């Protein structure tokens, strides 16, 4: 067996919150064969299987009584190309931001707005990651996943994935599908998205009136670096809460009481609120309780100042949820997966 299974391994290096919990068993999968061996090991020893990528969307609240398999497969290849576009395939274990940069170096546009997002390629479709007006679904072609129930491979099209706001079929069937590789449809003719957030302003400040995809990527990297803490320096999982989508009636009520509320009308008549605005208005920005806190510059980000446990971070998150519900009548949903 090529899969190396270890016992009693700390997961602190494998989650961006830096929470120090222990995995009963741990292994890294570098190939499809390793994944199949992990499934067989799990069944043979009657131990649950937990698959992780970069650990950037996890909140670990206790020791994990499972075989934790970290996807570590690597490889980027062009599987189809013409004069206008290319389909690029990447293995699930590829780190996301370096993959984005590799595509830009190949002259392929489409992923630049998703620069500097932590995590891996395989994890990206699970919650349809998005930033600055672009989501995975906008550049997605297809993916290959392993059916954990049958051991067969299945190809998923864009429609099969049922992408929604930070959502997909894989998020609801996490125990069944294991993503092995993902393909993206990228363009050789840049169609830049510059209207969301401060991207165009940043480019104007730099005197760039005809930006390239690389220019957009660099601008977004700079903006994200200023707003969001580096997990290597301060433990966090990025945005901790989803931006809630509420009825137009509730939005009108909130706006009457809070004229500065930030809302984005949706196609179905509902309104998406900025969760960070709600949290900041409630006074949580910069709050700290021991080593668990809310970032001083970005109220949407919960941080671990060093020794916070997953339970302490979870307790803080639930206190914020309760407060926002009482103040605004809005339910905040956590983005990270809780274990």
């Amino acid at each position: 067996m090529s899969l190396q299974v270890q016992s009693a391994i700390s997961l602190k290096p494998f989650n961006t919150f830096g929470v120090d919990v222990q995995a009963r068993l741990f292994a890294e999968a570098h190939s499809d064969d390793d994944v199949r061996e992990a499934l067989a090991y799990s069944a043979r020893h009657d131990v649950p299987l937990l698959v992780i990528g970069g650990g950037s969307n996890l909140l670990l609240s206790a020791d994990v009584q499972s075989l934790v398999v970290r996807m570590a497969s690597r490889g980027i290849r062009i599987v189809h190309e013409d004069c206008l576009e290319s389909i690029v395939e990447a293995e699930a274990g590829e780190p996301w931001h370096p993959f984005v940069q590799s595509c830009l170096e190949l002259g392929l546009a489409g992923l630049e707005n998703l620069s500097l997002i932590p995590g891996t390629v395989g994890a990206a479709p699970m919650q349809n990651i998005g930033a600055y007006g672009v989501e995975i679904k906008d550049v997605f072609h297809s993916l290959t996943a392993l059916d954990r129930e049958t051991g067969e491979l299945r190809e998923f099209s864009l429609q099969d994935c049922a992408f929604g706001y930070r959502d997909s079929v894989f998020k609801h069937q996490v125990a069944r599908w294991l993503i092995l590789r993902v393909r993206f449809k990228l363009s050789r003719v840049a169609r830049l998205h510059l209207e969301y957030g401060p991207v165009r302003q940043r480019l104007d400040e730099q005197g760039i009136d005809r930006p390239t995809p690389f220019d957009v990527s660099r601008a977004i990297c700079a903006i994200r670096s200023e707003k969001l803490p580096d997990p290597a320096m301060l433990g966090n999982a990025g945005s901790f809460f989803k931006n809630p989508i509420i009825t137009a009636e509730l939005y009108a009520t909130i706006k009457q009481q809070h004229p500065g509320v930030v809302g984005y009308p949706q196609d179905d008549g509902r309104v998406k609120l900025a969760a960070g605005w709600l949290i900041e208005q409630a006074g949580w920005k910069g709050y700290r309780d021991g080593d668990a806190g809310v970032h001083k510059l970005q109220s949407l980000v919960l941080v671990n100042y060093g020794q916070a446990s997953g339970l302490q971070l979870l307790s803080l998150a639930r206190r914020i949820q309760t407060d926002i519900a009482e103040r605004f009548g809005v339910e905040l949903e956590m983005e990270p997966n809780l274990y």
Side-chain angles (χ1 to χ4, degrees):
M1 184 174 77
S2 62
L3 187 74
Q4 301 298 312
V5 178
Q6 301 172 277
S7 300
I9 297 297
S10 171
L11 294 178
K12 185 173 183 177
F14 304 112
N15 73 97
T16 58
F17 261 124
V19 172
D20 191 7
V21 298
Q22 197 171 84
R24 176 182 171 188
L25 298 167
F26 179 84
E28 293 189 334
H30 297 272
S31 66
D32 289 8
D33 287 343
D34 284 349
V35 170
R36 292 184 182 278
E37 286 186 16
L39 287 169
Y41 187 101
S42 171
R44 188 166 62 250
H45 295 274
D46 193 26
V47 59
L49 184 70
L50 172 61
V51 180
I52 65 172
S56 60
N57 199 40
L58 291 175
L59 179 56
L60 301 170
S61 60
D63 288 343
V64 182
Q65 301 303 318
S66 305
L67 167 58
V68 177
V69 175
R70 177 177 174 268
M71 295 298 291
S73 53
R74 296 295 188 92
I76 301 171
R77 62 194 71 87
I78 295 177
V79 296
H80 173 80
E81 63 181 334
D82 56 36
C83 59
L84 295 178
E85 64 182 26
S86 295
I87 297 173
V88 182
E89 180 180 78
E91 296 294 320
E94 281 289 337
W96 177 257
H97 180 66
F99 167 66
V100 171
Q101 298 303 299
S102 294
C103 291
L104 290 174
E105 289 168 4
L106 290 170
L108 299 173
L111 296 173
E112 54 276 358
N113 287 47
L114 304 178
S115 296
L116 210 61
I117 294 177
T120 58
V121 167
M126 291 192 67
Q127 64 165 356
N128 184 27
I129 63 170
Y132 299 98
V134 175
E135 295 178 319
I136 282 292
K137 67 178 179 59
D138 301 321
V139 289
F140 180 86
H141 179 270
S142 57
L143 64 77
T144 302
L146 179 70
D147 188 337
R148 290 167 57 167
E149 294 179 0
T150 68
E152 297 177 353
L153 297 182
R154 175 178 165 183
E155 302 299 317
F156 282 79
S157 67
L158 175 63
Q159 292 71 27
D160 295 333
C161 294
F163 288 127
Y165 172 57
R166 301 296 183 269
D167 197 20
S168 74
V169 66
F170 309 105
K171 196 165 185 178
H172 297 279
Q173 300 181 18
V174 67
R176 180 171 183 184
W177 302 108
L178 201 160
I179 297 172
L180 298 176
R181 57 196 65 90
V182 188
R183 290 169 289 278
F184 302 88
K185 184 186 293 186
L186 304 178
S187 177
R188 294 194 174 276
V189 179
R191 301 177 182 86
L192 303 178
H193 298 269
L194 306 177
E195 306 308 323
Y196 195 93
V199 179
R200 184 178 291 279
Q201 178 184 343
R202 179 60 60 100
L203 293 168
D204 289 344
E205 290 171 353
Q206 296 173 344
I208 301 173
D209 56 1
R210 299 182 65 182
T212 67
F214 261 122
D215 291 328
V216 175
S217 175
R218 283 191 286 265
I220 286 174
C221 286
I223 294 167
R224 289 183 67 92
S225 295
E226 292 168 4
K227 290 177 57 179
L228 301 172
D230 181 350
M233 305 297 293
L234 184 63
N236 73 93
S239 297
F240 195 89
F241 298 102
K242 293 182 180 181
N243 289 325
I245 300 176
I246 64 173
T247 65
E249 291 77 13
L250 178 55
Y251 176 69
T253 299
I254 295 173
K255 190 170 181 63
Q256 187 175 30
Q257 299 173 352
H258 306 274
V261 64
V262 180
Y264 304 95
Q266 303 297 292
D267 293 339
D268 62 2
R270 295 185 297 169
V271 180
K272 181 189 289 185
L273 297 183
W277 185 91
L278 296 172
I279 296 167
E280 183 171 350
Q281 290 299 305
W284 289 98
K285 187 176 182 179
Y287 176 85
R288 179 170 177 173
D289 183 2
D291 275 357
V294 179
H295 193 248
K296 61 182 180 181
L297 298 179
Q298 175 51 269
S299 55
L300 203 53
V301 178
L302 268 58
V303 294
N304 178 3
Y305 284 102
Q307 302 299 319
S309 69
L311 283 177
Q312 289 171 321
L313 290 161
L314 179 60
S315 174
L316 174 58
R318 287 178 171 159
R319 288 163 61 194
I320 293 171
Q321 286 177 311
T322 299
D323 189 28
I324 299 304
E326 292 175 350
R327 288 174 184 265
F328 301 100
V330 175
E331 301 292 334
L332 291 183
E333 183 180 347
M334 300 181 199
E335 278 200 37
N337 296 310
L338 176 63
Y339 294 99

